[in-house]
Amino acid sequence: MDLPRRVEIVPWGFWKAINFTPVRLQGSSYLGGGAIGADDNADQKYIEWEVLLDSGTWAIDIIYLKQANGAITDIKIDGSLVGSIDHYNASTSGNNVTTISGISIGTPGYKILRLITNSKNASSTSYRHYVHFITLRRTGA
Amino acid sequence: MTVYAPRHVDIWPWTNQKSVTGAVTRVNNTGYLGLGRLLWTNGAGARAGYWDVALDAGTWTLTLIYQKANNMNSMDWVLNGNSLGNIDQYNATTVNNSVSQITGVIVASPGVYELGFTRPSGIDYLNLQLITLTRTGA
């Protein structure tokens, strides 16, 4: 069986593991019509999926919600930090996109993609972390 | 040779299907997670829907997101013809974005499986917004 080179995750569907009480937000203005996150306003909250990736160079596109009480979320693959997103914005705005590129996958196989809150913007009042959609794309050998 | 098969599968049921029985329509609504659902319209005959999925061996959870309503029937879910359980979509009041799960689905070997549901008879509607399969254990 050939390995995927594009993986799309509907984050509000379901997950492999989670350590917070999930809230599914529904919104007609959200890309994908929803978001998953938490209102428990605590740091070090994670959600993860097990994805099958070919070896090579990959990019992750994360579409997410920004709020005045947003956290900073680290993106990890098998425990290695590949980038971060800042959920803070003075006014609420959906469909923000951050692309983390140049991610090297040395060996093909199953990887754990984890999003974990890790601190917050100095202007933020809390640690909310809603995500609309995640795409992983293989960009090179 | 190592055989790889996915351990997380998302299906937008309203995009397309392997096969369906009964009349279906795509419904768009701003109140739905995903903004759409596939609706099996009211009828007295059999209804069903099937999707092919590649799954690794292990234990899986099937998650369904759908609308509950007082004119909905129930779905008997199957994987390669083996019963997984029943999901009752009836509720006295309409609730979009309802979530139901069937846990402990055993997949003995990696490969392509036919996931689907049947409703042998009975009136009322059926619907699906999202299907997610998540491998939860070996």
Side-chain angles (χ1 to χ4, degrees):
Chain A
M1 185 174 292
D2 293 330
L3 291 167
R5 295 189 173 184
R6 179 183 174 91
V7 177
E8 295 178 349
I9 298 171
V10 183
W12 42 264
F14 200 59
W15 41 82
K16 181 177 178 64
I18 196 168
N19 77 338
F20 57 84
T21 303
V23 176
R24 289 178 171 92
L25 286 185
Q26 193 278 328
S28 60
S29 65
Y30 299 155
L31 288 165
I36 187 77
D39 290 338
D40 49 9
N41 298 329
D43 200 4
Q44 298 299 310
K45 296 298 182 182
Y46 69 82
I47 183 170
E48 62 188 31
W49 298 267
E50 190 169 23
V51 292
L52 180 55
L53 304 179
D54 197 7
S55 60
T57 304
W58 285 73
I60 302 176
D61 307 303
I62 300 180
I63 306 176
Y64 58 101
L65 187 69
K66 289 191 174 193
Q67 301 171 280
N69 50 7
I72 291 173
T73 294
D74 286 346
I75 317 302
K76 296 183 175 182
I77 295 181
D78 278 353
S80 297
L81 179 68
V82 297
S84 298
I85 56 176
D86 188 349
H87 290 270
Y88 171 77
N89 198 59
S91 59
T92 300
S93 69
N95 308 327
N96 300 278
V97 182
T98 291
T99 296
I100 301 165
S101 57
I103 300 167
S104 180
I105 300 297
T107 56
Y110 302 106
K111 314 293 176 185
I112 298 295
L113 171 67
R114 172 177 282 200
L115 277 59
I116 180 168
T117 59
N118 185 18
S119 77
K120 62 182 179 62
N121 188 294
S123 299
S124 176
T125 58
S126 196
Y127 296 91
R128 295 193 180 185
H129 49 100
Y130 285 91
V131 175
H132 302 303
F133 211 85
I134 301 169
T135 302
L136 299 101
R137 295 175 287 120
R138 188 178 185 273
T139 55
Chain B
M1 186 182 83
T2 302
V3 176
Y4 292 109
R7 293 184 175 179
H8 179 92
V9 178
D10 290 309
I11 300 170
W12 299 100
W14 39 265
T15 55
N16 217 323
Q17 316 81 36
K18 179 181 182 181
S19 65
V20 295
T21 301
V24 294
T25 185
R26 295 176 175 92
V27 180
N28 166 255
N29 187 289
T30 58
Y32 303 155
L33 280 164
L35 305 177
R37 64 183 172 129
L38 189 64
L39 178 68
W40 280 258
T41 52
N42 193 352
R47 278 155 292 164
Y50 292 97
W51 296 262
D52 274 344
V53 290
L55 304 176
D56 193 22
T59 304
W60 288 73
T61 292
L62 171 66
T63 302
L64 305 172
I65 299 180
Y66 60 95
Q67 181 195 74
K68 283 180 176 280
N70 65 3
N71 58 359
M72 292 294 167
N73 209 312
S74 65
M75 296 172 154
D76 297 325
W77 282 85
V78 294
L79 188 68
N80 274 10
N82 297 313
S83 176
L84 302 180
N86 176 269
I87 300 293
D88 189 353
Q89 299 195 325
Y90 172 82
N91 199 61
T93 58
T94 298
V95 182
N96 292 332
N97 312 319
S98 298
V99 181
S100 293
Q101 293 186 312
I102 297 173
T103 60
V105 176
I106 303 299
V107 175
S109 58
V112 176
Y113 290 80
E114 185 183 69
L115 173 72
F117 77 87
T118 61
R119 177 73 266 141
S121 62
I123 61 172
D124 296 335
Y125 295 77
L126 297 162
N127 76 109
L128 291 167
Q129 295 173 227
L130 186 76
I131 303 167
T132 298
L133 289 146
T134 309
R135 185 180 182 273
T136 55

